[in-house]
Structure formats: structure tokens, C-alpha cells
Amino acid sequence: MLRFIAMRLVKAAIILIAIVTLNFFLIHAAPGDPAAVMAGEAGAADDIFLEQLREQFGLDKPLLTQLGLYLGGIIQLDLGFSYRQQMPVADLIFDRLPATLLLTMTAFVISLVLGTLAGVLASARVGKWSDTLISTVALLFYATPLYWAALMAVLIFSVQLNWLPGFGYETVGGNYEGLDRVIDIAKHLILPATTLGLFFMAVYMRMTRASMLEVSTLDFVKTARAKGLKPGIIQRRHVFRNALLPVVTLAGLQAGQLVGGAVLTETVFAWPGIGRLMFEALAQRDYNVLLGVFFVSAAMVLLFNLITDILYRVVDPRIRAS
Amino acid sequence: MLKKLSLLAATFIVATGTALADPVSGGRANAVIQPEPPSLMLGLVQNGPTQMVAGNLYESLLRYGPDLEPLPQLAKSWEISDDGLTYTFHLYDNVKWHDGEPFSAEDVVFSADVFLRETHPRLRQSLKYVESITAPDANTVVFKLNEPFGPFIGIFEVGTMPMIPKHIYEGTDYKANPANNTPIGTGPFKFVEWTKGSHILLTKNEDYYIDGLPYLDEIYWHIIPDAASRSVAFETGVVDILPGGSVENFDVPRLTAMENTCVTDKGWEFIGPLSWMWLNNREGPTADKRFRQAVMYAMDREFAKDALWNGLGKVAQSPVSSSTRFFSDDVSQYPYDPDKARALLEEMGYDGTPVRLLPLPYGETWQRWAEAIKQNLEEVGVKVEIVATDVAGWNQKISDWDYDLAFTYLYQYGDPALGVARTYVSSNIAKGSPWNNVEGYENAKVDELFAKAATAVSKEERQTLYTEVQQILTDDVPVAWLLELGFPTIYRCNVKDLVTTAIGVNDGFRDAYIEK
């Protein structure tokens, strides 16, 4: 097991360097640079101004030298400096990371728990009206574009009913402390986390339902029934456990997106997280921030893949590392 | 008894009347800022959002009324010599920086002559005319010019010449100075905190040099990236002030229909944003003057104003905005006339070569506007292909002259020598910038007129020269003028005196108060 993890970590490091290099070239292939954007926002600039900016951003050096410098920094875990925001990139990212993790993990838990529950429920009542209802709702969630669902949620729960705040992380200027602050943040969390979780909730539901139905036709379940076991025990021990594997695979995928997977939601809900940071950095061609977010997200994806593989072996001990 | 009662009532009415008219202290302003500024150090960064927030922190020598007449800010009075070469400013004598250090004429000399000369591209152009800046005593500053420069009195606005504390910046690497993150100015509000991605908090400057000002206790600038969410923020009462351009134009009628909601398009007179389409004068059909005139006739600008801008703003008549000095309407006019456009196209023998149109990547309104103009042009037989870009890509394409028609809007800065000439004089043709003579227009007569007008001393002489240049330009149509944009500032009606000068919200909330 340890050997397996060590091997995977070495591979992950190599993949990371490759990803960073690829991203570096992709980003620099886009038209425009941060100096042009900053000058553009200022509405006026002369050659001296642009030259000053490019020198400051290090854009006057050859591309390969820039890449070399960046990789050199990454190996020492130095993500560089954002001249636009006047802050080290690592600080920027780690300031924003908790907000994103809170949002995406809540969405993750909501979708995983509700999705599998609904799936189990639907499979138990297959063909009945409750199954139809659950399946239809799931299909609706599956097909609804995220931004539309988000806007509708804001329109209904925030503008019309005035139950929940429509955007932001907490009440600005509210100066809440302790438990009040936790409640305030939780209120702000409900709409974005739910909308973000809708799609995966639907996916888990459909996957669990299909998987449960498939497994329940297999021979060992028939054997279990023949042995006279109670249906509840069969469902829980024999069917659900085996039906869970494909769900774990998908959950691993979603978990990989925990960082940086919420660009749209964070923008619509003014959630001060990594996804928005990335989106803004992209528009501003803030190369270091963009590469930094990509780096952290890629590292998280690799990490969650590893965790998923380990989880596989826990759920089904027959799976061995090859 | 009855008499007594009515007397009492009269007193009451007078009393409330006074209470309504008198500004009251206290309260919090919640405003939207969009997009998040890169920095609040106005001496280093002058983009729109930075100016809007930092206009509360920093000040300059003057501010400007809606008619562009100079008003006191840090300078309580000033004189201009008859030859137009010497400008003497007398400063308020009890001004302090936010850190408690006294502000003096030495700070003005440092800001204008040392700091901004190095960091401020727009001011640098105007400072070419300045021979010396001196401080004969702590409260007097003298600018001596090497030749008269007509618009000189117009460069003392906070976005153009913010005062920078000498004691913090002298001898340091300006861009790396840690003080950039905790800006220190002389303004009515002080910087408190900036939670990136969430909000910026400013608080009242208790030591402000004008007694009783400012009225507000604090200002929260909310950073909300999505335009629809900014509308929601106003609708749900989270913010009370939406500065011009913070919401999509199609949301404006819905928001202004709300109770207790006021709207104004004032406060943009100084910068006078004027929109036009760059027309590539170098190659393709747009190189032909008749084609460019045809574009002017083909566009239904009234429709664009009403449908896309909710009737705010004005159809542009000339390269000079009507709120800018020396505007003239004694020029060639281009009413909507598709037949004339078709005739001109036929006359030049337009062969149907398609043209590429670059919209401005600043939200839905500009996208729709590009579509409206595409339709206008196709009605007269011009094939148009819309090219989509993001902001960085747009800057690059414009800078590289890689377009046929391209939307833009530029600021006028109150005087043709500051904001207009740069677009049309041939010495300003250079690849790499999206705000110089991007269209590649060359006309020796125009160059000469702009040069003469900038340094002419008398107002009458300047007007004559600028009228002539406007006539030549409207005939040549180097660019296709669209609208003098009217950006609506939307706010709750109980917020008073929010927009009082020609710089509007960017001039800070010094005089604003919330009616109880």
C-alpha cells in the first residue's frame, strides 16, 4: 500500500510539472498581455508606461526564460507575485481557498447524500409514481444550465420571497461575531451550494438507481434471496455496497473539482473564492495568478484521484493495485 | 387659541423645512464598485474603478463644476498671469495627511514634478508645457509654463493630478512601496480595509480641513462581479448607490421604477465619454471617405440611444462632446438616411467586400449595439462580420490595427487639447496603443489647427480654430461618431448631493449625506 502511494506521488509530481508547462504555453498563446489590459483600463498610456509595466511583469524576457523562472519557483513551492494585485500569488490563493472549499464541499456533501438517497429510494420503488417523480426531477436538474438555475434561485428566494441573501459570503458591514457570524455565512451559503450541487445530485441519483437495479439482478443477490434473507439486509449489504462503486468513481471526479470548479457559481453569487479569482485573472491576463490556481487545482485533482483509488480498495477489498 | 395653533404649525413647518434643507451627519453609504480595482494608489493606477473609490481618499488642487469651471479643493484660490504662463495656487493651511503629517506646497511639487511625471502617462503629456513647479512658501505653489497651454487650468482634477505624500514616497521604489496597500491621502475619507473579492471600507476623516465635512460616517464599496447580481443587490436593499455603468442598461428602467429610487446622468461632463467606431483609414473600403460618410448616414443613432441606452445620452454631432469646451454644432450633420448611404456606396463603386466589426467586450449593451449597427449597415448593402474578443484580445487587436470597424469610447477631459486631439493628429499614429490615432488619419491642416489651438491664449481664438477643425473632421469622418454616453447613476432618493461636480461619483462623497 505504501509503495503504491509513493509510486503514485512520484507520477503525480511529473504530471504536475507537465501540466504547468502546458498551461504556461497555452496562457501565453492567448492574445493580449497584462500590461495591455492594465493600460486599457486606465484609458490612456504611452510607450514608456507599457514598457514599465512589461518590465515589471517580467514580460520583456524570452518566453523560455520566463518558463524556467516559473518552474524554478514552483519546485520551491513559490507561486510568484501578482503585480496587478500587489500580493504574492500563494497569499491570494490561500486567502480565497477556504471560501471555495466551504462552498464546493457543502455542494459535494449535499449532492452526494441527497443524490444517493434519492437513487436508492427510486430503485426501491421502481416503476411507481415516486420513482417517476424522482427521475423526472433529476432529469430536470441534470439538464438545467447552472447559471440559469442560479439566477432563478436568486430571483425566487432572494428578490421575491426575501428569505435568503442573493450573493456574497457574509453581510458586509454586519460585523457579526461567533455563532451569529456562522449563521450569517450559512445563510449566504445555501443558494450557491444548492445550485452548484444540483447537477451532481442528479448524476448520483441516476447512477445509484441504475446501479442498484443492475446489481439486484445478479446471481449473488438471487442466492441471498433464496437463502431467505430479509429484503432490507439484501438491499443494504449486498446491493448498495456493490452499487456504490461507480458512484465513488464519479464522486472522485467531482471532488477533484472542489477547487476551481465553481467559476460560474462564484461569479453569480459574488462568492469570494478561487473560481472567481481564476476568472478575473484570465480576463486580466494575470499570468502568475492563473498558473497558480491551475497548479493548485491540478494538485487537488491528482490528490483526490489517489484518495478515490484508495477508497476503492476499502469499498471492495478485491481490488488490488496493479 | 386658533391663532396660537396656526402659529405653532407655522413654526413647525419652518423647523422641518430647515431640517430637510440642512445636511445631516452620520450614516453609511453602500455602493457598488465594478470591476474590483487593481489598486487604490491613484498615483500609480488610474483606471475607472480605482478613480471611483480613491477619489474619496486622494485630492488634487481643484475640482470642476458641471460647466467645467474650476472650484477650490486643496487650493482655496488661484491666479493666472495675463500672458497665460504663470499659475499661482494658494493652499488651505490646515490640511493634514491621513497619518497626521501636515500637507504642504512641497507635497504638491513632489507629486506633480517628481512622482506623477514618472508614473502618470496622461499627465506627462500636459507637463511637457511646464518649465518649473516651485513652492515659494508652505501654502503657495507656482507653475511656470514655457508656452501658453489653453487647457492647463483643467489638469488639476484628482484623477489627473492626485496629491501624493512626499514623506512616504520620496526616495522609494514607488511601485514596491508597501504603503500602496494602505493609501494615505488628504481626502474626506480614510482607508480602513479591503477584503479582496468582497468589499472596501472607508471611514470618515475626522480631521478634514473643511469644518463639518464629510457628513457620512463610512462608505462600503461592494465588489459584485455579475451584472445581474448588482441589480439584485440594489433591489434587495444591500446597496443604495449604483454608479454609472454598474448594471446592464436593460435593467435601468426596472430599477428606476422602484420606489424611492432616483437616477441621474450628470457627473460625466468632465470626462465626457464619447463613443465611436474606429474606421480603418488605411485599407479596405473604410479607406474611402465616401464609405465612411455612408456609414454615418446608415446608422440609426437615435434608435440606439432610445433602445439600448434608455434615452440617456446624446447623439454625437462632432468629435468634441457637447459638454466639452469649444464644442461647435456648425459642422456637417449626419441624420439617419439609408438612401444617401446607398447613393454614396454606389458612387464609390463599393464591391461588397465584407468588413469586420469589433464590439467592445464590456457587457451586453455593447454586444447588442454591434448587432444593431450590423443590421443598419447590411440594410444599405454592406456585409458585416462581427468578431468576438475579450478585453485583452480587444486591446491587442485595436493596438495592432487589426480591424475594419471597432467600437470604443474615449474620455474628453473637458478640453479638445486633452481628450480630442490625440485621436486625430498624425504625430499620434503609433502601433501598440488603443487610444492614439488608431484609425490612421493624416491631415496636415488638422495637425496645424490642433497645435495652434492648444497654445492660443485667448478663448475666442481657440474657439475659431476648434470650430474649423471640427468642420474638417466631420466632413472627412475619420471615425464614425455614435453617442455622447449618458451613464446613469442610480441611487435611493434619500441620498443627497451625491453628484455635485463634473466628475460625479469619482469626485468622492465629500458633500453627500443621507436624509433622515
Side-chain angles (χ1 to χ4, degrees):
Chain A
M1 186 75 158
L2 277 177
R3 205 181 120 77
F4 161 76
I5 293 175
M7 282 296 290
R8 286 290 302 267
L9 283 177
V10 171
K11 273 189 201 165
I14 297 168
I15 293 171
L16 259 184
I17 296 287
I19 289 174
V20 168
T21 311
L22 189 67
N23 281 337
F24 181 86
F25 286 114
L26 278 177
I27 290 170
H28 282 265
D33 65 32
V37 176
M38 282 193 85
E41 289 169 337
D46 49 13
D47 297 345
I48 311 171
F49 185 67
L50 282 171
E51 235 165 76
Q52 282 172 350
L53 283 176
R54 294 216 165 95
E55 197 188 315
Q56 191 190 12
F57 289 127
L59 296 172
D60 50 343
K61 298 192 181 73
L63 204 56
L64 280 179
T65 315
Q66 291 180 43
L67 174 65
L69 285 173
Y70 189 77
L71 285 179
I74 284 282
I75 288 165
Q76 301 162 45
L77 289 178
D78 172 10
L79 297 182
F81 194 79
S82 165
Y83 285 99
R84 186 184 171 89
Q85 310 225 25
Q86 290 291 318
M87 259 172 107
V89 172
D91 290 0
L92 270 172
I93 292 180
F94 290 109
D95 273 0
R96 298 283 193 102
L97 202 53
T100 296
L101 284 176
L102 178 65
L103 172 65
T104 44
M105 279 174 77
T106 313
F108 178 68
V109 172
I110 291 178
S111 54
L112 192 58
V113 172
L114 294 184
T116 26
L117 264 178
V120 171
L121 223 79
S123 73
R125 293 181 165 69
V126 65
K128 296 196 177 119
W129 68 267
S130 48
D131 172 34
T132 315
L133 180 74
I134 292 173
S135 299
T136 312
V137 170
L139 193 67
L140 210 66
F141 288 171
Y142 185 81
T144 309
L146 190 59
Y147 66 90
W148 190 83
L151 285 176
M152 285 307 122
V154 171
L155 209 61
I156 296 168
F157 296 105
S158 193
V159 179
Q160 295 295 327
L161 299 172
N162 211 1
W163 288 350
L164 293 167
F167 58 88
Y169 178 76
E170 56 186 316
T171 306
V172 167
N175 298 324
Y176 294 116
E177 273 173 44
L179 187 64
D180 287 342
R181 180 156 184 241
V182 173
I183 293 171
D184 186 46
I185 294 177
K187 274 189 187 162
H188 283 80
L189 185 59
I190 294 175
L191 287 184
T194 318
T195 37
L196 183 61
L198 284 184
F199 175 81
F200 271 97
M201 201 191 296
V203 172
Y204 294 137
M205 180 268 149
R206 293 173 66 79
M207 190 126 270
T208 313
R209 181 180 176 275
S211 192
M212 293 282 286
L213 291 176
E214 191 192 330
V215 175
S216 60
T217 62
L218 295 181
D219 286 347
F220 71 94
V221 180
K222 288 180 188 156
T223 313
R225 268 195 213 115
K227 283 196 301 187
L229 283 178
K230 282 182 186 154
I233 294 179
I234 298 178
Q235 285 287 326
R236 231 178 305 134
R237 285 215 195 131
H238 294 75
V239 183
F240 184 63
R241 191 155 182 184
N242 282 289
L244 210 56
L245 273 182
V247 177
V248 170
T249 314
L250 257 181
L253 266 179
Q254 192 199 357
Q257 296 177 1
L258 284 184
V259 178
V263 177
L264 261 174
T265 321
E266 287 186 0
T267 305
V268 172
F269 290 100
W271 195 261
I274 294 283
R276 225 177 100 193
L277 183 70
M278 177 172 86
F279 182 67
E280 281 158 13
L282 178 70
Q284 297 154 351
R285 302 288 190 270
D286 195 345
Y287 296 140
N288 279 352
V289 173
L290 205 50
L291 285 170
V293 177
F294 286 162
F295 175 78
V296 174
S297 330
M300 296 296 267
V301 170
L302 290 168
L303 182 71
F304 278 106
N305 273 342
L306 181 59
I307 294 175
T308 316
D309 285 352
I310 296 169
L311 266 181
Y312 264 175
R313 300 153 144 243
V314 176
V315 175
D316 190 342
R318 288 170 303 176
I319 297 171
R320 291 277 172 271
S322 54
Chain B
M1 181 68 193
L2 199 68
K3 201 176 166 191
K4 211 174 175 184
L5 248 184
S6 62
L7 193 71
L8 204 69
T11 332
F12 183 72
I13 288 164
V14 170
T16 38
T18 336
L20 280 177
D22 270 347
V24 281
S25 277
R28 169 197 292 173
N30 285 292
V32 153
I33 186 67
Q34 144 49 38
E36 182 159 20
S39 160
L40 292 179
M41 207 303 168
L42 193 52
L44 295 173
V45 179
Q46 290 93 32
N47 77 17
T50 300
Q51 288 197 38
M52 199 170 280
V53 177
N56 292 289
L57 304 170
Y58 292 96
E59 290 183 316
S60 188
L61 299 184
L62 304 175
R63 29 182 11 214
Y64 299 87
D67 52 358
L68 304 186
E69 283 309 306
L71 303 170
Q73 193 163 41
L74 283 166
K76 59 184 175 191
S77 63
W78 56 95
E79 296 115 37
I80 305 169
S81 65
D82 291 337
D83 58 3
L85 290 176
T86 311
Y87 288 67
T88 310
F89 293 91
H90 305 283
L91 309 175
Y92 277 99
D93 54 9
N94 54 344
V95 182
K96 285 198 174 74
W97 293 103
H98 292 159
D99 60 359
E101 293 289 319
F103 164 82
S104 85
E106 286 299 329
D107 288 304
V108 184
V109 175
F110 171 75
S111 303
D113 216 16
V114 183
F115 190 99
L116 297 172
R117 233 186 237 281
E118 188 179 321
T119 61
H120 198 315
R122 187 154 52 79
L123 183 66
R124 194 153 47 212
Q125 300 302 323
S126 301
L127 289 180
K128 281 181 194 159
Y129 296 90
V130 177
E131 196 177 86
S132 72
I133 306 172
T134 49
D137 66 60
N139 294 316
T140 313
V141 183
V142 181
F143 288 76
K144 274 214 159 61
L145 310 192
N146 40 36
E147 60 179 317
F149 182 50
F152 196 69
I153 195 63
I155 68 165
F156 298 94
E157 163 262 348
V158 64
T160 311
M161 198 194 284
M163 289 299 125
I164 309 299
K166 183 181 177 186
H167 66 280
I168 291 177
Y169 284 94
E170 191 176 33
T172 67
D173 174 1
Y174 304 149
K175 284 180 178 143
N177 195 318
N180 294 342
N181 293 323
T182 49
I184 300 267
T186 60
F189 292 90
K190 293 183 181 187
F191 174 81
V192 181
E193 64 169 14
W194 181 353
T195 307
K196 292 259 162 120
S198 170
H199 66 272
I200 299 168
L201 170 60
L202 311 181
T203 183
K204 177 179 189 159
N205 177 5
E206 300 283 357
D207 296 324
Y208 195 61
Y209 55 93
I210 300 173
D211 276 342
L213 290 180
Y215 301 113
L216 295 170
D217 286 338
E218 52 190 6
I219 308 172
Y220 275 92
W221 292 95
H222 298 248
I223 299 154
I224 305 172
D226 183 62
S229 304
R230 290 192 288 275
S231 300
V232 169
F234 189 80
E235 283 177 289
T236 51
V238 174
V239 301
D240 306 310
I241 300 161
L242 296 170
S246 5
V247 293
E248 293 287 358
N249 275 303
F250 47 75
D251 281 336
V252 171
R254 183 165 53 89
L255 294 177
T256 49
M258 286 171 60
E259 223 174 282
N260 185 25
T261 301
C262 289
V263 62
T264 176
D265 62 352
K266 291 199 164 59
W268 292 87
E269 297 85 357
F270 183 81
I271 62 172
L274 181 58
S275 60
W276 63 74
M277 282 196 301
W278 294 114
L279 301 172
N280 199 333
N281 285 217
R282 299 177 187 84
E283 55 191 13
T286 45
D288 193 310
K289 170 173 148 181
R290 288 165 294 185
F291 185 89
R292 302 197 296 264
Q293 289 174 336
V295 169
M296 287 300 287
Y297 283 120
M299 295 187 300
D300 190 348
R301 295 180 291 166
E302 285 289 345
F303 166 81
K305 186 186 87 177
D306 293 337
L308 297 163
W309 293 90
N310 299 301
L312 296 168
K314 260 186 193 173
V315 169
Q317 292 181 305
S318 134
V320 177
S321 166
S322 62
S323 69
T324 305
R325 293 183 199 100
F326 311 115
F327 160 77
S328 168
D329 55 6
D330 178 19
V331 295
S332 310
Q333 299 293 335
Y334 296 91
Y336 176 52
D337 191 342
D339 289 333
K340 247 186 192 158
R342 282 189 205 99
L344 279 162
L345 290 172
E346 197 170 327
E347 188 194 322
M348 72 172 269
Y350 170 62
D351 59 357
T353 318
V355 287
R356 292 163 301 157
L357 170 63
L358 215 59
L360 203 55
Y362 287 176
E364 287 292 317
T365 306
W366 294 94
Q367 194 64 38
R368 299 287 97 82
W369 203 353
E371 285 159 13
I373 286 192
K374 175 185 161 90
Q375 196 178 352
N376 278 163
L377 292 179
E378 293 197 333
E379 270 163 21
V380 299
V382 177
K383 198 105 192 81
V384 178
E385 181 194 328
I386 292 182
V387 183
T389 61
D390 68 350
V391 176
W394 180 87
N395 275 307
Q396 174 135 6
K397 275 193 186 309
I398 301 273
S399 304
D400 290 348
W401 306 337
D402 180 16
Y403 70 95
D404 295 313
L405 312 169
F407 277 86
T408 193
Y409 69 88
L410 258 69
Y411 294 167
Q412 310 275 300
Y413 299 113
D415 193 290
L418 299 179
V420 181
R422 60 177 170 163
T423 306
Y424 306 102
V425 297
S426 61
S427 59
N428 228 359
I429 300 179
K431 250 192 182 153
S433 161
W435 314 273
N436 53 27
N437 184 339
V438 174
E439 78 275 18
Y441 175 68
E442 287 182 66
N443 185 331
K445 182 75 187 159
V446 167
D447 291 352
E448 190 198 324
L449 287 168
F450 270 124
K452 262 193 196 164
T455 54
V457 182
S458 88
K459 273 194 175 174
E460 295 69 28
E461 198 185 342
R462 295 191 75 201
Q463 181 68 64
T464 316
L465 294 163
Y466 280 128
T467 304
E468 192 180 347
V469 88
Q470 288 174 75
Q471 282 161 347
I472 299 175
L473 287 172
T474 47
D475 184 51
D476 274 352
V477 194
V479 305
W481 300 285
L482 301 168
L483 297 179
E484 293 174 13
L485 298 175
F487 290 116
T489 300
I490 302 170
Y491 58 100
R492 310 255 183 250
C493 294
N494 59 348
V495 181
K496 302 287 178 188
D497 288 350
L498 184 64
V499 173
T500 53
T501 68
I503 301 118
V505 177
N506 285 10
D507 213 12
F509 292 1
R510 187 186 93 171
D511 303 314
Y513 65 96
I514 297 169
E515 199 177 71
K516 292 272 150 64

